[in-house]
Amino acid sequence: MSRNPLSGHRARLYQDGQDLTDPAARQSARAYTLYYDHGILRIFWSNFFEIAPGVFRSNQPDLKRLQYYAKMGITSILNLRGASMSPPYLLECEFCAATGQDLIDINQLSARKAPSRAALLALVDTMRCTPKPFLFHCKSGADRTSLAAAIYLMVFEGAPVSTARRQFSVRFLHLKWTKSGVLDHILDVFENEAEPRGIDFETWLRTEYDGSKIQRSFDEGRA
């Protein structure tokens, strides 16, 4: 028998796919989001920033912030955490329905593992098709969001790697020396192997990028 990774009070709070129309389920979903998903910190800290005209980044927004973003004209929310049946995602679906904003899910991105080519191309293609103004976020707005911001600047704004790297910053709570540094390593590999040959970032993604190879290179460097 597999053991529930959650125990005690946390297990009682967390139930995948719970019906939020039930008052008790809604209360537990909100409690889980506040305390175990660190939503209580996000009440006071948004990690919000405009990276290019009409393109914004942040951490996981609550209803109040989504209402504020809607007043700013932001009509689409790109969720870099992916679709799930977890309380934070179910609440965000409900919040976006209330504000009239489109919630678009980008799946298979990790803060501590090099994404696959398919996942990164899905991100690029989605950003290309999403009308501005839009906002993308992960949980804390530190790692996956920094990668998305850097990619947006290189692909759609023609920014050099040196400029895109600024999105990977302690200002956004991204810590390069942790396992999340593998996301910085993607830019390192591109800068060293592709940019000198005049290959742009999107072309490199579509023709040469290998997430498994980048992950191995990063792990070997840390070891």
Side-chain angles (χ1 to χ4, degrees):
M1 179 181 295
S2 62
R3 182 178 181 275
N4 190 332
L6 304 175
S7 61
H9 185 55
R10 183 175 182 179
R12 291 194 295 273
L13 288 177
Y14 184 91
Q15 293 180 358
D16 268 349
Q18 54 194 324
D19 180 6
L20 298 188
T21 61
D22 176 71
R26 171 175 292 278
Q27 183 178 8
S28 68
R30 289 175 61 86
Y32 178 90
T33 301
L34 279 173
Y35 298 109
Y36 294 106
D37 200 58
H38 304 145
I40 195 167
L41 301 177
R42 300 191 294 264
I43 294 174
F44 310 101
W45 164 65
S46 67
N47 223 354
F48 181 79
F49 186 72
E50 184 175 19
I51 68 163
V55 181
F56 303 85
R57 59 178 291 173
S58 78
N59 57 23
Q60 176 87 38
D62 59 12
L63 177 58
K64 185 176 180 179
R65 279 210 276 130
L66 285 171
Q67 291 171 332
Y68 175 74
Y69 297 155
K71 290 179 180 179
M72 291 176 57
I74 296 174
T75 57
S76 298
I77 307 297
L78 276 60
N79 164 38
L80 305 179
R81 303 180 73 176
S84 70
M85 296 301 290
S86 68
Y89 179 72
L90 296 178
L91 287 170
E92 184 173 17
C93 289
E94 182 182 275
F95 296 160
C96 284
T99 59
Q101 292 162 309
D102 292 329
L103 179 61
I104 304 168
D105 302 310
I106 307 296
N107 299 302
Q108 299 181 334
L109 293 181
S110 170
R112 297 174 178 83
K113 184 177 179 180
S116 67
R117 178 187 296 179
L120 291 182
L121 290 179
L123 171 63
V124 170
D125 292 340
T126 300
M127 291 193 292
R128 176 170 285 119
C129 296
T130 303
K132 300 176 186 177
F134 65 82
L135 175 144
F136 47 79
H137 74 84
C138 54
K139 178 182 176 181
S140 299
D143 303 315
R144 286 167 287 188
T145 297
S146 292
L147 177 62
I151 289 175
Y152 184 89
L153 290 177
M154 289 186 290
V155 172
F156 299 103
E157 297 292 319
V161 177
S162 58
T163 298
R165 280 188 191 281
R166 297 172 191 166
Q167 297 299 317
F168 288 105
S169 168
V170 292
R171 176 252 188 267
F172 299 113
L173 295 191
H174 174 75
L175 306 177
K176 182 178 181 177
W177 54 88
T178 68
K179 290 183 178 180
S180 297
V182 69
L183 304 183
D184 304 71
H185 192 53
I186 293 172
L187 271 63
D188 295 338
V189 174
F190 168 72
E191 185 176 38
N192 293 330
E193 297 184 1
E195 198 173 46
R197 293 182 284 137
I199 300 176
D200 66 87
F201 189 82
E202 184 174 3
T203 299
W204 177 69
L205 274 186
R206 295 189 181 278
T207 60
E208 299 183 22
Y209 176 86
D210 185 333
S212 298
K213 181 180 177 181
I214 286 176
Q215 186 68 51
R216 286 195 301 272
S217 172
F218 177 75
D219 292 340
E220 290 168 2
R222 292 192 83 215

